Amino acid sequence: MRSVTLNIRLFFQGALLSYVALFRWLSPMTYLASKVLMPLAQILFFSFLGMYATGQANASFYVIGNAIQLAAVSGIFGVTMSIGGDRWEGTLPYLFGTPANRMAMFVGRAFFHVLDGMVGVVLALMWGVLLLGLDLSHANPLALGLTILVATFSTSGMGLLLGCISLITLNVMFINNTVYFSLLVFSGANVPLSTLPAWMQSVAWALPLTRSIAAARQIIAGGSLAEVAPLLWMEVLIGAIYILAGYFLFRWFERQAKLRGTLDIF
Amino acid sequence: MAPLNAIEVRNLRRIYRTTIGVIRRRVKEVVAVDDISFDVAPGELFGLLGPNGAGKTTMVKMLTTLLIPSAGTARVLGFDVVDQADPIRPRIGFIFGGERGLYWRLSAIDNLRYFASLYHVEPEIARKRIPYLLELVRLDGRGQEKVEGYSRGMKQRLHVARTLLHDPELLFLDEPTIGLDPIGARELRQVIRNLQSEKKTILLTTHYMFEADALCERIAVIDHGRIVALDTPEGLKRHVRDLSVIELEVYGIPPELLDVLRALEVVEAVTVENRDQKQAVLVQSPGGSEAVPEILAALSGLRVGKVIVREPTLEDAYVRLVGGEVEP
């Protein structure tokens, strides 16, 4: 029981401090701008491009797709930097020398980014309502909130995996950017999945966000939670698989670093 | 039953393998620690003394469960460092010299809070211990500041506080005073003395001779991965008891003159220290003051200032054992 309490405390303390450590260099105004202006730019760019190509009536397709896809900003960039930061700070030997539960230490890093990502998605949807006439009147707020939570959870799972890769690669931003921009296409945020080649569709269903975006579109069109439940459960499973893959990669990295003496080199 | 020794090292060896080249890759092996054995008693302050690259940090990494040995065994507090790392970690603390290893964007207090939770320190104990430790390392009143604004010395003192959070029985201090100004280094040495008086077992690595002499009960001199001597500081000095050290103040000595000196029969070893615009040539000689005329004759034509003949120190013993140049 005591160890459970200690691990829960480690989870939340690590979650809060790693989040604070990552964003403290930003002034509140800079942080706010990153939360407000960057989503605005993405939504305007893809929505107007999409409307130009397919017509005004499809605005909501692009607004919803990009708003949910923006969960990846916190889920991928935030979480990856939170884990990769230990490499730059030189704290890895000190972390690996502690008796701390690795799962609590590792997964805790993603917690506040899930919440942060949800705020980002809500702000993006607000831009859609204010500037592009997105109609949320048919949406079940609870179902939509749950969908946003599941989307940020699954992208944070992918962020944890990429964070571990950042421990062993030299240029994590290259990987992050590649994955982020791939999600713009593969997740169905900007292109209907049915128009993609078969192999791309197969990849799309193995990625986070694909099901969340599909679920969000159904909910905003008036669908019920029960109708999208299978999509959301699968999205949770996808997120959990990425978390587990990241965790095992994290343990593998720890073992390899001790075997090869590369804890300070990577 | 408590183990007889806090640390037991037997025939420990660590080889690093690196690859060179892209197309025709070749494996290069570097033996960092080569068949080392020693024991450290509970409550002892044991020193590992050696030049850069001698294998000191590699040794500390293996003993702190951060590096797996290539061969041999090491037991810390009775537990094997490879197979029983879990019971070792909560009972040891360690510092690797330098500024890194802290979360610079967090305050000192937040750093300590996080590491307290990593070491499973109960919150109420951490709340009392953090202010106490900040005071111990003279950072009281600065704990709320972000670490990025700290001087190097402050960061290193914060490392000391961090490593004491969980009140470990055994401390590994890897060059803790490296890069500190003389006052900061002296203060840190006082902290180490205080820890010693609390009966903590300490393994200290350093390449500062006077530091090892002032703090350590026993010292292992390590060079090229091997122990070349293991004794008390006094015992090590006995290695050069038959010698005197002749210090000659010179101004720009050419290397060939050093070779001339080394070739003299009355000379055992020669090192040079840079002292501002001048150099001090340190000649170890069994002849003492009687060797001075012959040495001066060998340096004829060179401007020589003060000449002092003195008893050898631990540093002189180290020079004889390691046989290299001493950093100025």
Side-chain angles (χ1 to χ4, degrees), chain A residues 187-234:
Chain A
S187 68
N190 295 296
V191 185
L193 285 179
S194 56
T195 64
L196 294 176
W199 72 268
M200 286 183 77
Q201 289 189 41
S202 304
V203 173
W205 292 113
L207 292 172
L209 287 178
T210 308
R211 291 170 181 81
S212 306
I213 290 172
R217 285 185 180 132
Q218 281 190 47
I219 289 164
I220 290 171
S224 68
L225 183 58
E227 287 172 283
V228 298
L231 286 171
L232 296 185
W233 279 119
M234 274 306 291

Side-chain angles (χ1 to χ4, degrees), chain B residues 271-293:
Chain B
T271 54
V272 181
E273 285 180 16
N274 288 318
R275 293 177 182 171
D276 297 325
Q277 305 298 314
K278 301 171 276 188
Q279 293 102 44
V281 178
L282 310 178
V283 181
Q284 292 185 13
S285 167
S289 53
E290 289 173 14
V292 173

Side-chain angles (χ1 to χ4, degrees), chain B residues 1 59-60 62 72 74 92 96 192 234 254 311 317 328:
Chain B
M1 199 174 75
M59 176 60 75
V60 171
M62 287 191 282
I92 63 168
F96 295 108
I192 295 168
E234 288 309 310
E311 291 293 303

Side-chain angles (χ1 to χ4, degrees), chain A residues 35 38-39 41-43 45-46 60-77 117-118 120-122 124-125 147-148 150-152 154-156 158 176-191 207-214 216-217 235:
Chain A
K35 279 274 152 238
M38 190 270 180
Q42 183 175 326
I43 284 201
F45 177 80
F46 285 105
S60 66
F61 178 88
Y62 300 103
V63 173
I64 297 167
N66 283 285
I68 301 292
Q69 198 271 346
L70 279 160
V73 174
S74 298
I76 290 179
F77 289 104
M118 290 181 73
V121 173
V122 170
L125 286 172
T147 303
I148 294 170
V150 168
T152 51
S154 63
T155 48
S156 296
M158 187 180 224
N176 283 351
N177 283 318
T178 305
V179 171
Y180 185 84
F181 289 112
S182 298
L183 283 173
L184 284 170
V185 178
F186 281 90
S187 68
N190 295 296
V191 185
L207 292 172
L209 287 178
T210 308
R211 291 170 181 81
S212 306
I213 290 172
R217 285 185 180 132
E235 183 83 344

Side-chain angles (χ1 to χ4, degrees), chain B residues 76-89:
Chain B
V76 169
L77 301 168
F79 300 103
D80 185 89
V81 294
V82 178
D83 299 326
Q84 297 169 300
D86 287 347
I88 293 174
R89 288 182 188 138

Side-chain angles (χ1 to χ4, degrees), chain B residues 46-66:
Chain B
F46 184 88
L48 273 181
L49 181 66
N52 292 330
K56 306 186 294 293
T57 299
T58 298
M59 176 60 75
V60 171
K61 282 183 179 169
M62 287 191 282
L63 295 178
T64 52
T65 77
L66 295 173

